Amino acid sequence: AMSISHTTCFFISHYTNVHRRKVRRHRRKIITTKEASLLIITRNMARFVFIVTSLLLSTPATAFAPSNLQHAQAKSTSLRMTAGESGARDPVKVGVIGCGRIGIVHLGAINKAPGVVPVIVSNPTVSKAEDAAKKYGVAKFTSDAMEVITDPEVDAVWICSPSQFHADQIKACAANGKHVFCEKPIATDLAETVEAINACNEAGVKLMIGLQRRFDPNFLRVRRAIEEKEVGDTIIVKTCSRDPAPPPYEYVKGGGGIFNDMAVHDLDMTRFLVGDDPIEILAVGSCHIDKSIEDLPGSEAFDTASCVVRYPNGVNAMVDVCRQSSYGYDQRAEVLGTKGMIATDNVYPNTAKIYKNDYTGNADMPFDFFLSRYFEAYVTETEAFCKSLVEDTPVPCTGIDGLVALVMSLAADKSAAENRWVKFSEIIDQVYCTSPTECVLLAESDLFPAGFKPTGDLITDANDLILPDVDKQKEAGTFFDRFKKLVGSA
């Protein structure tokens, strides 16, 4: 593109100057009609080439050049939302992969969302898929996730399967032109995460990541207070996440550690509340509750952990997590500002309180299960993606959000292992891509010498790896949209 633009710029300059010289020679003469016409044609032609050149140079920048002219749009899909004679849109038809606890929550929300209809569900244990289909009036069920992904009726797919299947299923959805909602994580591997995001962006399909706490009304209220400066400028953000009881040994083993399977939610929440991208992290961990996990590797041996995250403008965020809380599911956030403080409380099944001579307080314990505590948030995030599909608007939680959450948890793990501050750019810089959907970790590659480490910041480096998503592509407009805009304003 650059060689073409340089040639074009030379052409404009040369072609215009030649005719300027011709006109200059005759400046004492009366310009004939033919000469005037030639000058007008010359100017218009130069203007046209300049506009085309501007359009070519205004294409969104990316670290990857398209292999051909149809690279970004070859597999793009369009939602079947055509307006009938009455003006009503056709419903968006969706499929759900996974009919476990999370899948059922999403399926129930999909069933209530306007303009969206579930048409097929899948689960490896087909009886669960059949039960879900009967309960929610879904016409088709299967044990094979690929039957959902390749179903010609389906516009979008909800991926609620175990984490190890997410990346491959996202890529398959992109290859089949299906929009995707995926529970976090996108993948457990950073390079595969980048590949999955780029597969969707390259195919022109929407990708939304399930970060349900962002839709919790309590945390949303704190976010609004920060945005509207109700407590002044932010100084410190604090979050805590403490489970009612530790998970079984089998769950912890191979789960990636406390930062990846637990603290990741709180780390993402600090970014959501601060409204900026983090710089570095210091993390520590220990074991107090379940001594049986102490023989596990790395942060899998921790049942308690704390993190400090540095953000721009001197803002610090503090996170503490623990796998056991004797008083119920403890999920709170607090923000100290220059003019005050805002904090959330835990969520209870009811507002009843008991008043006695030896106790005054809530009649019952807080919700003791994440699906109970965040049920409303799960429903709200599902409705948000449904709305994005029906109205063709940007998704509220993007692939980049999912990528940054994973980077933050991996950096926390590295910090605890190496007992030092870790910049988030250190983590994202480990990914090397030969194409948008072919990436490796430098530690697993012999392409670079030992000790090689790129430098940069988290979001800049992430944007270098990730293609513009479908909504950003639409914001930029097509070539002809930009052409008409420039012609109209020139």
Side-chain angles (χ1 to χ4, degrees):
M2 288 306 295
S3 61
I4 292 173
S5 63
H6 288 155
T7 303
T8 305
C9 290
F10 171 78
F11 169 79
I12 294 171
S13 176
H14 176 74
Y15 195 76
T16 305
N17 287 336
V18 165
H19 286 277
R20 278 178 179 164
R21 286 196 296 272
K22 285 184 179 179
V23 172
R24 204 174 290 126
R25 290 194 202 107
H26 301 284
R27 64 178 178 269
R28 290 191 177 91
K29 299 178 183 179
I30 298 174
I31 298 176
T32 66
T33 303
K34 184 176 179 180
E35 289 172 331
S37 298
L38 180 61
L39 180 59
I40 292 169
I41 291 170
T42 301
R43 286 175 175 170
N44 285 342
M45 191 168 184
R47 179 170 174 248
F48 173 79
V49 176
F50 174 77
I51 289 172
V52 172
T53 305
S54 300
L55 288 167
L56 290 171
L57 294 177
S58 68
T59 301
T62 174
F64 309 107
S67 57
N68 57 60
L69 294 177
Q70 297 176 335
H71 177 80
Q73 297 176 339
K75 299 176 184 175
S76 63
T77 183
S78 59
L79 296 173
R80 290 191 285 273
M81 296 185 296
T82 55
E85 291 182 3
S86 63
R89 287 172 169 167
D90 290 341
V92 177
K93 296 179 180 179
V94 305
V96 176
I97 297 173
C99 294
R101 296 176 305 191
I102 296 295
I104 292 300
V105 171
H106 286 298
L107 183 56
I110 292 167
N111 219 32
K112 295 176 182 177
V116 180
V117 176
V119 295
I120 185 171
V121 295
S122 76
N123 198 81
T125 305
V126 72
S127 59
K128 287 189 174 182
E130 183 178 12
D131 290 343
K134 288 179 180 177
K135 182 176 180 180
Y136 294 101
V138 181
K140 294 176 282 188
F141 63 89
T142 177
S143 62
D144 187 357
M146 283 305 298
E147 289 187 22
V148 176
I149 294 170
T150 58
D151 190 308
E153 272 197 290
V154 170
D155 297 307
V157 176
W158 262 253
I159 297 176
C160 306
S161 54
S163 300
Q164 64 266 33
F165 302 115
H166 288 184
D168 286 341
Q169 290 173 349
I170 290 172
K171 293 174 186 177
C173 286
N176 284 274
K178 313 296 186 184
H179 301 281
V180 184
F181 176 98
C182 184
E183 275 295 328
K184 71 140 233 17
I186 298 170
T188 54
D189 174 84
L190 192 59
E192 204 169 26
T193 299
V194 173
E195 290 176 352
I197 297 170
N198 277 336
C200 289
N201 295 350
E202 192 174 42
V205 298
K206 295 179 185 292
L207 171 64
M208 176 166 164
I209 306 306
L211 297 166
Q212 91 283 353
R213 294 191 191 188
R214 291 181 174 219
F215 297 88
D216 177 75
N218 300 285
F219 297 143
L220 282 171
R221 183 61 183 89
V222 175
R223 166 76 177 249
R224 180 155 62 91
I226 293 171
E227 290 177 334
E228 297 178 2
K229 301 287 187 181
E230 290 183 72
V231 294
D233 295 326
T234 301
I235 300 172
I236 295 172
V237 173
K238 290 183 180 180
T239 72
C240 75
S241 184
R242 301 161 189 165
D243 288 348
Y249 180 91
E250 292 73 22
Y251 173 89
V252 178
K253 183 179 180 180
I258 195 168
F259 300 109
N260 283 317
D261 72 12
M262 189 174 181
V264 62
H265 292 285
D266 294 84
L267 294 169
D268 175 71
M269 181 50 58
T270 67
R271 178 172 175 253
F272 179 67
L273 293 178
V274 172
D276 210 337
D277 293 308
I279 301 168
E280 58 185 347
I281 190 169
L282 180 65
V284 294
S286 54
C287 183
H288 298 273
I289 310 300
D290 183 4
K291 296 296 183 178
S292 71
I293 66 172
E294 286 186 308
D295 65 338
L296 295 176
S299 62
E300 289 183 12
F302 302 153
D303 57 27
T304 306
S306 300
C307 307
V308 180
V309 185
R310 282 182 179 159
Y311 283 90
N313 302 315
V315 175
N316 286 329
M318 293 173 227
V319 169
D320 79 72
V321 295
C322 184
R323 295 202 187 274
Q324 178 173 289
S325 166
S326 60
Y327 51 89
Y329 196 33
D330 192 0
Q331 303 279 293
R332 289 173 290 130
E334 174 187 304
V335 175
L336 174 67
T338 53
K339 295 181 180 178
M341 187 265 285
I342 183 169
T344 66
D345 196 358
N346 286 312
V347 178
Y348 293 80
N350 54 66
T351 61
K353 294 184 181 294
I354 291 179
Y355 300 88
K356 298 167 61 178
N357 60 359
D358 60 348
Y359 174 78
T360 298
N362 291 87
D364 294 300
M365 300 278 275
F367 282 119
D368 62 355
F369 188 48
F370 74 97
L371 277 180
S372 304
R373 167 65 178 82
Y374 289 110
F375 180 81
E376 184 179 350
Y378 278 111
V379 172
T380 304
E381 74 171 355
T382 302
E383 291 173 343
F385 188 53
C386 290
K387 182 178 180 182
S388 173
L389 293 174
V390 172
E391 299 181 3
D392 195 19
T393 54
V395 299
C397 290
T398 66
I400 286 284
D401 292 325
L403 174 63
V404 173
L406 177 60
V407 167
M408 292 181 78
S409 67
L410 292 174
D413 201 291
K414 186 178 181 70
S415 173
E418 299 180 4
N419 193 30
R420 68 177 179 89
W421 285 92
V422 172
K423 290 186 180 296
F424 295 110
S425 58
E426 292 181 40
I427 306 301
I428 197 69
D429 282 344
Q430 294 174 12
V431 182
Y432 174 76
C433 297
T434 55
S435 79
T437 54
E438 295 177 342
C439 303
V440 295
L441 295 177
L442 294 184
E444 301 169 3
S445 171
D446 57 3
L447 290 171
F448 299 96
F452 175 85
K453 185 170 66 177
T455 58
D457 65 83
L458 172 60
I459 293 302
T460 299
D461 290 343
N463 285 333
D464 284 343
L465 291 170
I466 302 297
L467 295 169
D469 65 35
V470 61
D471 296 308
K472 287 181 180 175
Q473 292 173 30
K474 271 187 269 180
E475 285 175 11
T478 65
F479 177 91
F480 293 105
D481 290 335
R482 298 196 298 274
F483 177 80
K484 285 188 288 185
K485 187 176 180 181
L486 265 176
V487 169
S489 60

